C-alpha cells in the first residue's frame, strides 16, 4: 500500500455547470429570453406569472417550467392562462438543477416561445447555488416576510438582477420598512433593480413588464441576426 | 439541504479521480469553500458520510479551506474584503459590482492508498 496525495482542482458543481451551459446554448440558438424566478414559499411566484402572462399574451410567446416538491397544482394554474407549462416534481429536492431543466425542455415546443420563465422551488438558500442556463436570475420578496431577509439570505439577494418586492398592498398592516429593504439590497447588490409591486392589485406592474419586454426584444434581435 | 446534491457531485468526482489515479481507499479530501456560498460544512460532512458509504471514499475525512469574500470597486479599482455583507468600497463608498472571491466550491486534492506495493516508484506521488 502506498499513501499518495493527488491534486484534483475541480469545481464540485461542474457537472451542473456543463448542463446549464448546454441549456444556455439551446436558449440562445432559439433566441429565447430565460428567467430563473426564485423566492421563499408563498412570496407570490405563481401569482406573478399569472399576472405577467395576462398582460403579455398576444405580444410574445410564453412558456413556463414549474418546480415544486410535489403536485402539479401550479402548472395547472398556469395552463389555465393559455400558455405551455411543464411541471417538475423534485420529490423533496430543495432546488432545480440543469439536468431537470433539460428533461423538462423535452416536453415543450420552443418554436414559438420568446420568454421562458422557470419557477424554482420556494427556497431562499439552495436554488442560489445552481445555474440552470438562464439569462437572468430574479427574485420576489414579499412584505410579510420582513425587511431583514437581505441580511439573512445575502447570496440570493446578491446574485439577482431584479428584486421584486411583492404584496405592497399589505404595507399598512406590517412593520416592514421599504427603505430598509432598498438600503440592504443596495449594499449587497448595487446593480440589482428593485421594483415594488402587488400581484393582488396590479400596482407597480408597468416597470416590471417593460423590463421583460425590453429583454425579450434584445433576444429576439439576436435571433433575427442569426437568421439573416 | 442542497448539501446532499453537492455531496453526490463531490462523490462522483472522487470516484472518477480515484479510478484515474489507482486509489483503492480515500482517507482525506481537501475542499475549498467560499464564505459567500450557501454551504454549511457540517451538513456537507454529514451528507458525504451518508452517500459515500460502501464506496472508495467511505470514512474519508473532509478538510475545508474557507475563502473570504473580496470585491473590487469599479470606481477606484481597489480590492477589499467584504465585511458584514456590505459591498461598498471602504475607500470611496461606491458599490462594488465585481465579486473576486467567496463563491468557491472546489476540490483541491484527495489523499488515499493505492493498491500497489510501495516499490519506490514515485510516479504517483504529487505532493
Amino acid at each position: 500500500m502506498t499513501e499518495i496525495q493527488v491534486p484534483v482542482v475541480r469545481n464540485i458543481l461542474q457537472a451542473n455547470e456543463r448542463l446549464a451551459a448546454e441549456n444556455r446554448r439551446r436558449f440562445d440558438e432559439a433566441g429565447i429570453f430565460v428567467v430563473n424566478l426564485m423566492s421563499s414559499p408563498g412570496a407570490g411566484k405563481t401569482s406573478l406569472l399569472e399576472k405577467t402572462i395576462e398582460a403579455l399574451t398576444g405580444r410574445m410567446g410564453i412558456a413556463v417550467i414549474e418546480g415544486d416538491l410535489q403536485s402539479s397544482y401550479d402548472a395547472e394554474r398556469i395552463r389555465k392562462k393559455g400558455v405551455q407549462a411543464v411541471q417538475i416534481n423534485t420529490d423533496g429536492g430543495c432546488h432545480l438543477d440543469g439536468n431537470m431543466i433539460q428533461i423538462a425542455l423535452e416536453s415543450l415546443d420552443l418554436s414559438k416561445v420568446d420568454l421562458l420563465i422557470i419557477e424554482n422551488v420556494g427556497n431562499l438558500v439552495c436554488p442560489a447555488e445552481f445555474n440552470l442556463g438562464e439569462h437572468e436570475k430574479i427574485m420576489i420578496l414579499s412584505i410579510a416576510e420582513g425587511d431583514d431577509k437581505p441580511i439573512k439570505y445575502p447570496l440570493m439577494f446578491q446574485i439577482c438582477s431584479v428584486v421584486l418586492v411583492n404584496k405592497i398592498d399589505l404595507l399598512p398592516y406590517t412593520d416592514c420598512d421599504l427603505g430598509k429593504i432598498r438600503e440592504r439590497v443596495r449594499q449587497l447588490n448595487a446593480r440589482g433593480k428593485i421594483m415594488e409591486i402587488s400581484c393582488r392589485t396590479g400596482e407597480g406592474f408597468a416597470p416590471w413588464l417593460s423590463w421583460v419586454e425590453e429583454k425579450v426584444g434584445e433576444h429576439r434581435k439576436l435571433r433575427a441576426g442569426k437568421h439573416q | 439541504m442542497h448539501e446532499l446534491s453537492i455531496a453526490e457531485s463531490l462523490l462522483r468526482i472522487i470516484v472518477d479521480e480515484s479510478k484515474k489515479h489507482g486509489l483503492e481507499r480515500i482517507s482525506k479530501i481537501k475542499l475549498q469553500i467560499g464564505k459567500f456560498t450557501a454551504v454549511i460544512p457540517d451538513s456537507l460532512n454529514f451528507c458525504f458520510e451518508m452517500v459515500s458509504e460502501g464506496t472508495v471514499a467511505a470514512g474519508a475525512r473532509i478538510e475545508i479551506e474557507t475563502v473570504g469574500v473580496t470585491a473590487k470597486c469599479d470606481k477606484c479599482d481597489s480590492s477589499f474584503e467584504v465585511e458584514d455583507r456590505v459591498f461598498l468600497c471602504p475607500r470611496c463608498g461606491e458599490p462594488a459590482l465585481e465579486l473576486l472571491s467567496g463563491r468557491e466550491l472546489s476540490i483541491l486534492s484527495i489523499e488515499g492508498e493505492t493498491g500497489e506495493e510501495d516499490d519506490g516508484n514515485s510516479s504517483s506521488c504529487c505532493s
Side-chain angles (χ1 to χ4, degrees):
Chain A
M1 294 284 176
T2 315
E3 185 86 12
I4 64 165
Q5 190 194 40
V6 183
V8 176
V9 197
R10 281 167 69 171
N11 176 356
I12 299 175
L13 295 180
Q14 65 180 13
N16 185 61
E17 290 298 324
R18 209 163 31 229
L19 292 168
E22 278 172 26
N23 294 344
R24 177 66 171 266
R25 254 196 309 278
R26 212 164 143 193
F27 300 145
D28 285 341
E29 270 165 26
I32 302 172
F33 173 54
V34 183
V35 159
N36 179 1
L37 175 61
M38 299 174 282
S39 82
S40 43
K45 292 185 294 300
T46 314
S47 302
L48 175 84
L49 292 187
E50 287 174 323
K51 274 258 186 282
T52 306
I53 292 165
E54 276 169 25
L56 296 177
T57 298
R59 310 174 75 147
M60 60 181 71
I62 305 174
V64 173
I65 297 176
E66 281 285 346
D68 268 306
L69 273 70
Q70 301 273 322
S71 91
S72 57
Y73 187 79
D74 280 356
E76 282 155 24
R77 269 176 72 181
I78 297 300
R79 278 188 210 116
K80 279 188 191 143
K81 298 286 164 195
V83 303
Q84 297 183 71
V86 47
Q87 181 81 47
I88 300 174
N89 280 143
T90 59
D91 284 327
C94 51
H95 61 272
L96 297 179
D97 62 31
N99 187 41
M100 295 178 198
I101 300 304
Q102 221 157 62
I103 294 166
L105 286 176
E106 286 168 17
S107 327
L108 287 175
D109 172 14
L110 294 179
S111 62
K112 289 194 179 85
V113 173
D114 303 292
L115 169 67
L116 171 65
I117 305 179
I118 304 169
E119 181 182 329
N120 218 311
V121 178
N123 179 339
L124 285 182
V125 184
C126 317
E129 288 292 355
F130 296 83
N131 288 326
L132 307 177
E134 72 275 7
H135 297 101
E136 304 282 356
K137 289 178 164 63
I138 66 170
M139 68 166 297
I140 307 178
L141 168 69
S142 66
I143 289 298
E145 291 169 71
D147 49 38
D148 57 354
K149 291 300 162 289
I151 305 176
K152 294 188 176 170
Y153 303 93
L155 179 60
M156 181 60 83
F157 284 85
Q158 212 267 339
I159 59 172
C160 284
S161 42
V162 175
V163 177
L164 291 160
V165 182
N166 187 26
K167 307 191 189 180
I168 50 167
D169 51 313
L170 293 182
L171 266 174
Y173 311 104
T174 67
D175 296 325
C176 181
D177 183 340
L178 265 182
K180 278 190 186 155
I181 294 181
R182 285 190 209 110
E183 180 57 22
R184 285 166 178 168
V185 171
R186 197 186 78 91
Q187 285 182 345
L188 276 165
N189 178 7
R191 213 189 310 238
K193 289 184 174 43
I194 303 173
M195 300 179 192
E196 291 144 24
I197 60 165
S198 165
C199 290
R200 200 167 147 260
T201 66
E203 196 184 338
F205 258 68
W208 157 244
L209 295 173
S210 348
W211 183 82
V212 173
E213 284 195 284
E214 195 182 309
K215 289 284 178 186
V216 166
E218 285 168 18
H219 285 264
R220 266 183 184 152
K221 260 186 225 153
L222 290 177
R223 175 173 52 193
K226 267 188 205 122
H227 295 291
Q228 261 169 19
Chain B
M1 279 301 280
H2 62 306
E3 280 84 357
L4 184 58
S5 315
I6 294 172
E8 283 168 345
S9 307
L10 176 60
L11 180 66
R12 240 170 276 141
I13 296 175
I14 285 171
V15 169
D16 175 43
E17 292 285 338
S18 312
K19 276 187 202 144
K20 227 191 273 177
H21 297 280
L23 295 173
E24 292 190 346
R25 201 184 73 83
I26 303 294
S27 53
K28 193 159 92 182
I29 301 159
K30 272 195 197 165
L31 305 181
Q32 193 181 45
I33 298 185
K35 277 190 178 163
F36 208 58
T37 57
V39 176
I40 302 164
D42 279 351
S43 300
L44 182 59
N45 256 316
F46 172 76
C47 292
F48 190 76
E49 226 171 82
M50 206 166 68
V51 296
S52 64
E53 211 172 291
T55 73
V56 66
R61 193 157 50 86
I62 295 185
E63 212 177 87
I64 296 175
E65 178 190 308
T66 52
V67 186
V69 188
T70 53
K72 193 170 139 204
C73 174
D74 272 13
K75 200 177 169 198
C76 74
D77 225 28
S78 69
S79 307
F80 61 94
E81 207 151 312
V82 176
E83 279 169 41
D84 277 339
R85 305 164 303 272
V86 176
F87 287 73
L88 299 179
C89 175
R91 251 169 67 181
C92 62
E94 281 294 303
L97 298 177
E98 198 188 334
L99 192 65
L100 294 177
S101 71
R103 293 202 62 191
E104 293 77 4
L105 205 51
S106 315
I107 308 181
L108 293 179
S109 65
I110 54 177
E111 234 174 272
E113 288 166 4
T114 61
E116 304 151 14
E117 289 301 310
D118 188 359
D119 56 2
N121 181 351
S122 63
S123 65
S124 55
C125 185
C126 306
S127 57

